[in-house]
Amino acid sequence: MARDDIQPREGASHDRAVPPTLAECFTQGWAETAPAVPVLPGAAYAATRRALLSARFPGERIVVPAGGLKVRSNDFDYVFRPHSAFLHLTADEGAGAAPDSVLVLEPTGTGHDATVFARPRSPRDGGPNGTEFYRDRRYGEFWTGRRRTLAETSDALGLAALPRDDLARALASNVPTRVVRGQDPVVDAAAPPAAGAESELLAYLSELRLVKDEWEVEQMRAAVGHTVAAFHDVAGELPTAMRLPRGERWIEGTFNRRARLEGYGLGFETIAAAGAHACVLHWMRNDGPVRDGELLLLDAGVETDTCYTGDVTRTLPVGGRFTDAQRQVYDLVYAAQSAGIAALRPGARFGDFHDAATRVIADGLDAWSLRPGGAGPHDRSLYGRYTVCGTGHMLGLDCHDCTDARSSAYLDGALEPGHVLTVEPGLYFQPDDLTIPAHLRGIGVRIEDDFLITADGAVCLSSDLPRAADDVEAWVTATR
C-alpha cells in the first residue's frame, strides 16, 4: 500500500504542505470527461415506491440518508454499502452510490419533490475544494475513484441532485420532518428526536420492502443464482481445504471470490463451519480445519451489484459420505425442511412453515427418546435447546430483511405473492451436551433454501443445489 508524500488523512498530525509549484501543476492539463449515464434499470420502480411513501406521509418532509464511511482501522475504511432504505427508494447500486448521500422528499401541495443531496465529483479547478481529488484520502478521486457528477447522478437515478453542502440549509425550514436517524449527523441535527414518528417511518419503510416487485424478483433470482454457483465452487474445493490447517478459511475465500466476481460482495459474513463449529449458528471465525469424516456447514449469500442478497445453507459430508449418525440427523432436518416448504402458500400465516418444521423435529427427537425435560408434559418450546432459533426469515436487500416491520405485517401476518423468504430448520447438538447420546454430540446440520411466494404456491430459487442426503453425497463425490 503506497504511502502519501502529499497529504495523509485530513487532520493527521503528520500532514505535509503541498509545494506551490506542485499545487499549480495539479490545476491544469485535464481532459473534459462527460460520459453518457443511462438511467438505472430499477429507477422507475424506485419512483413508484417513493410515490407510496409520499402518499403515506402527506405534508411531511421525509429524509433517508445513505450513511457514510465507517472506519476499519486508523485511516482505512470499510467498503461503503448504502443504507437499505436509501437503496430501495433510489435503486442506486453499491459501487455507484456516493457516501453521505441523502434522499429528501420535500412536501408540496400535491405530494413531494424528491432530491438527492450528494457529494459531486472532485473538482479540479483549484477552488475551495480543488485539492480534494489528489489530497483527500477518504473522498479524493485519486484515492478512492471517480464519483458521478451531480448531473450524472440525476441522470442515473431519475431524480434532482444537489450538492451535499446544501443539505443543512434545505432541512432548516420549519416543516414537520421524519428522518431515518443514526446514519448522518447533519440529518440527526436537523430534526429533534421523535421516537414514535421515527419508528413509524422505519416500520413503513420495512413493510414497503415485504412484497418484491418484478424488478426486485429479478435481482433476487440473480443473487440466489450467484450464490448457488459459489456453492458449486466450494464443493469442488473440499479436497484442497482438507489439506490445510485452516481449511475453513479456504472455503470462505472460495465463496467470497465468486461473490466479488459476480456481485458487489457478500450479503453477510460467510459461515464456514466444520465439525463441531457447525453447532455455532453464526460461526464466522472460520479458522478451523476441514476434516475427512466430518461435516461442513456453509451458510452464505452473494449480494448483487444492486445489493440484493441470497442466503443458502448446505451441510456437506467432507469425505463424500455421511456417517450413520450424521445421516440420522441430516435426514430429520431434511424432513423438517420438506414439511416447512409444503406449508408455503399465499394466505398461510408466516409462522405456519416454522410450526410444520418444528413438529417434525419434535416428533423425530421423541422417537429418539430425546424429549427435553424427560417424559413429563410435552412442551415443544424445550426443543429449542437443540434448534435454538426460528426456521426462516424474509430476504431481500438485507439478509434478515424488513425487521422493523410491525408484527401484524410480518411475523403474525400472512404470506403474499412477491414475498421472498428462507426455510432453514436445523439441529445443533453441542459437543458438551450431556443430555444427548455421545455419538450425536458435535453434529450440527442446517439446510436452507430461498423461496418466492407466487399466486399458486412457492418457487424454490435455489433448487439447482442438491438437498436430499443421497443427492448431496453424489454431488460432493462427483466434484472430486
Side-chain angles (χ1 to χ4, degrees):
M1 178 64 65
R3 295 189 61 182
D4 177 17
D5 289 330
I6 297 175
Q7 179 189 323
R9 193 187 193 94
E10 190 71 27
S13 61
H14 51 289
D15 287 358
R16 297 183 182 182
V18 179
T21 53
L22 180 57
E24 176 64 23
C25 178
F26 273 111
T27 65
Q28 53 192 299
W30 305 110
E32 289 291 334
T33 58
V37 177
V39 64
L40 290 171
Y45 295 92
T48 298
R49 298 170 205 143
R50 292 194 301 272
L52 293 171
L53 180 61
S54 173
R56 177 63 180 80
F57 298 106
E60 299 183 60
R61 177 189 292 137
I62 307 298
V63 187
V64 182
L69 296 168
K70 295 178 174 62
V71 175
R72 184 188 186 279
S73 64
N74 191 24
D75 53 352
F76 288 93
D77 295 312
Y78 287 102
V79 173
F80 177 62
R81 199 276 193 184
H83 191 281
S84 293
F86 179 88
L87 288 166
H88 194 238
L89 294 169
T90 64
D92 210 346
E93 298 185 351
D100 306 313
S101 298
V102 179
L103 173 67
V104 177
L105 272 63
E106 189 70 22
T108 66
T110 57
H112 288 80
D113 287 335
T115 303
V116 168
F117 291 82
R119 292 180 180 274
R121 184 188 179 194
S122 300
R124 303 191 184 188
D125 57 6
N129 296 320
T131 63
E132 179 191 87
F133 73 101
Y134 66 92
R135 294 193 68 186
D136 192 316
R137 283 180 174 229
R138 282 198 121 182
Y139 301 108
E141 187 170 321
F142 280 16
W143 289 96
T144 59
R146 186 188 190 279
R147 291 192 301 272
R148 294 178 302 220
T149 65
L150 292 177
E152 289 165 357
T153 294
S154 180
D155 290 344
L157 303 183
L159 286 169
L162 292 175
R164 159 83 187 187
D165 289 347
D166 292 353
L167 177 63
R169 183 167 57 255
L171 300 181
S173 59
N174 188 21
V175 175
T177 301
R178 295 179 192 250
V179 305
V180 175
R181 192 168 295 276
Q183 304 300 316
D184 190 296
V186 173
V187 171
D188 289 350
E198 290 161 9
S199 294
E200 187 178 8
L201 174 62
L202 289 174
Y204 183 76
L205 292 174
S206 271
E207 290 166 18
L208 194 59
R209 301 210 308 265
L210 280 168
V211 175
K212 272 61 176 176
D213 57 41
E214 58 183 348
W215 179 78
E216 290 183 288
V217 169
E218 290 178 7
Q219 305 312 301
M220 294 306 304
R221 289 186 183 277
V224 177
H226 298 323
T227 300
V228 166
F231 270 77
H232 286 297
D233 294 342
V234 165
E237 291 293 321
L238 287 174
T240 300
M242 284 190 286
R243 296 195 295 268
L244 301 171
R246 293 199 290 181
E248 290 176 345
R249 292 279 171 90
W250 190 263
I251 297 302
E252 176 187 6
T254 298
F255 187 94
N256 294 7
R257 180 177 65 245
R258 173 72 68 167
R260 289 292 281 167
L261 178 68
E262 302 287 4
Y264 194 51
L266 300 171
F268 51 95
E269 290 299 311
T270 296
I271 298 168
H277 291 165
C279 300
V280 181
L281 273 75
H282 288 173
W283 176 260
M284 297 177 185
R285 298 181 206 169
N286 300 342
D287 59 358
V290 176
R291 299 187 181 96
D292 193 2
E294 294 186 337
L295 299 177
L296 170 72
L297 188 156
L298 178 65
D299 185 341
V302 173
E303 182 179 79
T304 62
D305 291 328
T306 55
C307 296
Y308 289 80
T309 186
D311 180 14
V312 174
T313 307
R314 285 295 182 270
T315 306
L316 310 179
V318 173
R321 292 284 183 269
F322 293 103
T323 67
D324 289 345
Q326 290 167 354
R327 182 180 275 264
Q328 179 184 5
V329 178
Y330 189 96
D331 284 346
L332 180 53
V333 175
Y334 173 81
Q337 193 201 27
S338 298
I341 294 169
L344 297 177
R345 63 181 64 86
R349 289 188 318 113
F350 176 82
D352 285 353
F353 73 89
H354 170 74
D355 293 343
T358 300
R359 282 193 296 272
V360 172
I361 292 283
D363 291 345
L365 294 179
D366 280 354
W368 299 354
S369 300
L370 281 181
R371 175 180 292 189
H378 201 182
D379 182 355
R380 289 195 187 277
S381 69
L382 295 178
Y383 293 99
R385 180 181 179 107
Y386 309 131
T387 59
V388 186
C389 65
T391 308
H393 52 82
M394 291 294 181
L395 184 66
L397 280 166
D398 292 331
C399 174
H400 297 154
D401 206 25
C402 310
T403 54
D404 287 310
R406 295 167 298 171
S407 291
S408 59
Y410 184 173
L411 297 178
D412 299 325
L415 297 179
E416 299 178 40
H419 281 172
V420 178
L421 69 158
T422 71
V423 179
E424 53 169 323
L427 278 171
Y428 313 96
F429 295 131
Q430 303 299 327
D432 59 348
D433 190 341
L434 300 180
T435 69
I436 59 175
H439 71 284
L440 295 179
R441 295 174 197 161
I443 295 178
V445 172
R446 179 163 66 250
I447 312 170
E448 178 181 24
D449 287 281
D450 302 338
F451 295 88
L452 168 67
I453 303 300
T454 65
D456 53 3
V459 173
C460 182
L461 302 179
S462 48
S463 60
D464 285 345
L465 281 181
R467 198 169 64 87
D470 287 344
D471 295 336
V472 169
E473 287 183 339
W475 169 41
V476 173
T477 300
T479 62
R480 295 181 181 279

